[in-house]
Amino acid sequence: MSSTSNNSTQKLNNAAVEPPPPPEMSVLDLPDLVLECILEKLPPEGLCTMASVCSSLRDRCVSDHLWQNHTTNKWGRVIGAAAEKEWQSCVASRRGREFLNQSKQKGLVNYLIRLWPLIRSGFSNTTRKKCFFSTVDSIMPRYAALESGEFCFPAQVYNRENGHVGFMLSCYDAMLSYDRKTDTFNARYAPHGARACAVESGVTWDRIRAPLVDTSPYVLHVSDCLHDLQPGDQIEIQWRRNKEFPYGWWYGVVGHLETCDGNANYCRCHNSETVVLEFKQYTPGSRWRRTIVSRKDHREEGDEADGFYGGIQKLCGEEEISMWKKLWPAEVLE
């Protein structure tokens, strides 16, 4: 037998005993807990890319659990109960259905396409519809609508007006939309009543908050804290220029009555039927420096010259208080 034949035979024998190559491992072969941990660490664009791989990953990547984390981390501080209510109204109403579908070509599907071009080729039209239009009331579409600026939500904006120093410690209600290019917001509001509308652009994140109470800027807030107020407490009070204007919220502190010297051992201001409110951003002697409200029968008070004071809310959280102090020198507010 020739050497060539021997070599061929040897190769055949070797091939016969060599084990087959192991099958390639897929990410879907990972244990569920491991795969879930990986998905939790992905940014939104990563989840969208992963969702385009297959239907199994798509179903995992649109999970409310994953998108709730992203929504809370980025939007939690500015999205409150009023914004949640607005979103649910959009989904439920006829206007919302048109907003969500838009001929099924310009709706929530394309929100993500515009945000992350990586997924444009990853989703087929059929997959997109299954992925998004079957879950319009879930968290992923809401996140996409917020990111794209398509969803305008109610929030409050801290004032930074140069023309009137007092407004520096006030905020106003507005409908906000996000601008991804500048990482800022456009705020649409009615500064001079419901018939007029204005837009402030370039509003930064640090000037936005979710409303602390669910009260329309055209409605007097019911004050439920008056019997608890005592000197040193920090509050917000509604104020408006005239009765056609919407309310804004002013920051202030509870002060002492003129008959009290401020000595804590002898102070009885908390027993008085009236409460002194101080706005220390105004200089002493200013007509807006102090006002007095009734503890037992507080309603809107004021006139066309000085404006009208409305409902009061007591600030108890450190986060709410610290936000006001960031807008004004701390020593002035002490």
Side-chain angles (χ1 to χ4, degrees):
M1 182 180 295
S2 67
S3 60
T4 302
S5 299
N6 290 334
N7 290 338
S8 299
T9 303
Q10 185 65 34
K11 288 181 180 180
L12 290 173
N13 291 335
N14 291 340
V17 299
E18 286 181 359
E24 293 185 2
M25 186 175 181
S26 164
V27 67
L28 294 176
D29 296 324
L30 295 172
D32 286 347
L33 182 58
V34 174
L35 179 56
E36 186 69 16
C37 289
I38 293 174
L39 295 180
E40 286 179 352
K41 295 182 181 299
L42 290 179
E45 57 269 31
L47 282 176
C48 291
T49 303
M50 187 72 81
S52 69
V53 174
C54 64
S55 60
S56 179
L57 283 175
R58 182 198 67 208
D59 293 340
R60 288 177 176 270
C61 291
V62 299
S63 164
D64 278 355
H65 164 68
L66 298 175
W67 288 93
Q68 181 63 63
N69 291 339
H70 289 300
T71 300
T72 300
N73 292 338
K74 182 165 185 176
W75 299 97
R77 193 179 64 79
V78 299
I79 295 294
E84 294 285 353
K85 187 183 299 184
E86 180 71 15
W87 174 254
Q88 293 303 323
S89 176
C90 280
V91 171
S93 69
R94 180 177 179 181
R95 177 175 60 86
R97 288 194 296 271
E98 293 173 354
F99 162 72
L100 292 172
N101 289 287
Q102 294 184 19
S103 302
K104 294 191 176 182
Q105 293 182 357
K106 298 181 180 179
L108 290 176
V109 172
N110 285 344
Y111 294 166
L112 288 179
I113 293 175
R114 290 198 300 271
L115 293 180
W116 300 300
L118 286 175
I119 71 171
R120 182 182 294 276
S121 59
F123 284 128
S124 67
N125 289 333
T126 301
T127 302
R128 291 171 187 163
K129 292 176 183 178
K130 288 181 179 179
C131 180
F132 295 102
F133 287 105
S134 62
T135 58
V136 293
D137 59 343
S138 63
I139 298 176
M140 183 182 185
R142 182 180 58 180
Y143 184 97
L146 285 166
E147 280 281 341
S148 65
E150 298 289 345
F151 174 46
C152 296
F153 61 94
Q156 292 177 335
V157 180
Y158 293 100
N159 272 306
R160 287 190 176 173
E161 295 190 17
N162 296 324
H164 200 310
V165 68
F167 286 131
M168 287 288 287
L169 285 180
S170 66
C171 65
Y172 65 88
D173 287 83
M175 295 296 292
L176 276 74
S177 61
Y178 182 56
D179 183 347
R180 292 187 67 253
K181 292 181 180 179
T182 60
D183 191 28
T184 61
F185 295 84
N186 296 317
R188 185 178 298 276
Y189 63 106
H192 307 303
R195 291 171 295 179
C197 187
V199 177
E200 182 181 0
S201 301
V203 178
T204 52
W205 283 86
D206 61 329
R207 292 183 54 202
I208 301 173
R209 73 173 187 184
L212 302 185
V213 293
D214 187 16
T215 303
S216 165
Y218 294 94
V219 175
L220 180 69
H221 175 66
V222 177
S223 308
D224 57 0
C225 61
L226 292 173
H227 63 285
D228 292 330
L229 294 180
Q230 54 186 317
D233 286 343
Q234 299 175 67
I235 59 95
E236 292 179 16
I237 186 171
Q238 290 176 310
W239 184 88
R240 58 181 173 178
R241 171 65 67 184
N242 61 49
K243 294 197 173 185
E244 292 186 358
F245 280 36
Y247 286 114
W249 287 95
W250 280 19
Y251 169 81
V253 296
V254 178
H256 292 274
L257 297 169
E258 291 185 357
T259 55
C260 179
D261 62 3
N263 188 317
N265 295 323
Y266 301 101
C267 177
R268 296 293 180 269
C269 293
H270 58 281
N271 294 326
S272 172
E273 293 185 359
T274 58
V275 181
V276 175
L277 304 179
E278 294 186 339
F279 308 98
K280 295 185 177 181
Q281 64 270 36
Y282 292 101
T283 58
S286 167
R287 61 184 180 179
W288 287 301
R289 172 79 178 194
R290 288 164 59 98
T291 192
I292 297 176
V293 299
S294 171
R295 193 186 294 271
K296 295 184 177 180
D297 188 29
H298 173 59
R299 302 177 182 178
E300 185 179 64
E301 302 176 17
D303 53 45
E304 295 290 340
D306 296 337
F308 294 88
Y309 296 91
I312 299 170
Q313 58 180 333
K314 180 180 176 179
L315 297 178
C316 299
E318 287 299 322
E319 183 177 355
E320 291 86 1
I321 295 172
S322 64
M323 284 301 300
W324 288 114
K325 292 187 175 182
K326 289 178 182 179
L327 301 176
W328 200 259
E331 60 273 12
V332 176
L333 301 180
E334 296 298 333

